[in-house]
Amino acid sequence: MVPGSRSPRWFWGGVFLAVVSGKVLGMAAKSSTSKSGSGFPPWHRAKPAPVVLLLGKQRVFADRALHSLAVLSQATPADPPEVSELDPAHYVKGYLAQLLSPSLFGGAPVVVVRGLENAPAELLEDLVSYVSALSQSSAGAEAFLFLTHAGGVKGKKLQDLCKGGAGGHAAVFSCDELRWPEEKQRFIISEAQATGRGIEPAAASALVDALGEEFEELLAVADQLLTTAGDLSKPLTAAEVDSYLR
């Protein structure tokens, strides 16, 4: 298999009318909502653009944003895009252009590249060339390129191009970590509300106190308890959390 070869994934869900006659319009997302600490809109506001950079260390947020972007980038529910995951560790120079070429299956291809903070120079060079060309083009792009970067100086030229909007073709969204226990507690409460069950504030606080240093584990345990512990028709209680943690 060619390194970084296409691995089609099919998503079904919401529709985002970003593709017109096979072209991805230059629709760098703008939001009037509050910005994150980094100054960019938060990950849950991410909308497709020809290039999207998800910037920050919280992998859970980046993964959720990538899934949402893939769903939103499909032309119609019956025409989901072909999603290709490119592995930076095995990148061969020039391969990015192949993945971004028009798909044989119709619609705009979607290319996902994770972990640019560890990307080799060859990949960063190809990404800079692609985004630079887009920034000077008035035509619509024919693909979506979704990137994640945990932060740091590596790939600064690419980051700067995306942060500058690349001529209206790029957008940046923040995937900053939640630093404070109160932030994590609010997030757990919001997650619980989204399930339709809810959680007592004391229960959320107990989970954060016990597992807050490992955010992914915190979310996994919260999800498990919300779907299995106690009376599922009532909010998750502190007693039910304490019983699990003992």
Side-chain angles (χ1 to χ4, degrees):
M1 178 180 291
V2 178
S5 58
R6 290 188 172 182
S7 301
R9 297 180 181 182
W10 306 104
F11 295 95
W12 305 87
V15 179
F16 187 80
L17 299 179
V19 181
V20 180
S21 301
K23 298 289 186 178
V24 183
L25 303 183
M27 294 183 297
K30 297 181 180 179
S31 173
S32 59
T33 59
S34 59
K35 308 268 183 177
S36 67
S38 65
F40 299 104
W43 62 275
H44 55 84
R45 303 291 183 187
K47 297 179 181 178
V51 180
V52 173
L53 174 62
L54 301 169
L55 185 61
K57 294 182 179 180
Q58 187 46 257
R59 185 174 62 184
V60 171
F61 296 162
D63 288 345
R64 292 188 181 190
L66 286 172
H67 182 272
S68 176
L69 287 166
V71 171
L72 292 172
S73 63
Q74 66 191 56
T76 69
D79 185 25
E82 182 178 0
V83 180
S84 303
E85 289 247 9
L86 191 157
D87 182 0
H90 300 98
Y91 184 69
V92 176
K93 188 167 179 60
Y95 191 59
L96 179 70
Q98 297 180 42
L99 293 179
L100 290 168
S101 61
S103 172
L104 296 176
F105 299 97
V110 174
V111 177
V112 175
V113 189
R114 303 171 189 257
L116 289 180
E117 67 279 3
N118 298 314
E122 295 82 0
L123 174 55
L124 292 172
E125 290 169 2
D126 284 355
L127 286 167
V128 167
S129 295
Y130 177 77
V131 179
S132 295
L134 268 184
S135 69
Q136 299 170 26
S137 173
S138 59
E142 297 182 336
F144 291 105
L145 177 61
F146 301 148
L147 312 170
T148 76
H149 195 304
V153 297
K154 192 166 189 178
K156 184 177 184 302
K157 188 172 183 179
L158 175 63
Q159 292 185 61
D160 289 345
L161 282 168
C162 293
K163 291 175 182 178
H169 294 286
V172 180
F173 298 92
S174 171
C175 295
D176 290 341
E177 293 180 299
L178 301 182
R179 298 178 57 192
W180 308 110
E182 295 80 6
E183 293 179 303
K184 296 173 184 178
Q185 182 177 338
R186 287 195 297 270
F187 189 83
I188 292 297
I189 291 172
S190 175
E191 291 277 283
Q193 290 172 340
T195 69
R197 179 176 182 185
I199 184 172
E200 293 179 353
S205 179
L207 283 171
V208 171
D209 288 345
L211 303 169
E213 295 301 314
E214 297 293 335
F215 190 66
E216 292 185 35
E217 183 181 0
L218 170 63
L219 294 186
V221 169
D223 179 68
Q224 177 184 342
L225 293 177
L226 285 165
T227 55
T228 62
D231 185 344
L232 301 187
S233 67
K234 297 179 180 179
L236 184 67
T237 68
E240 289 160 351
V241 170
D242 289 341
S243 177
Y244 172 87
L245 293 175
R246 281 201 298 270

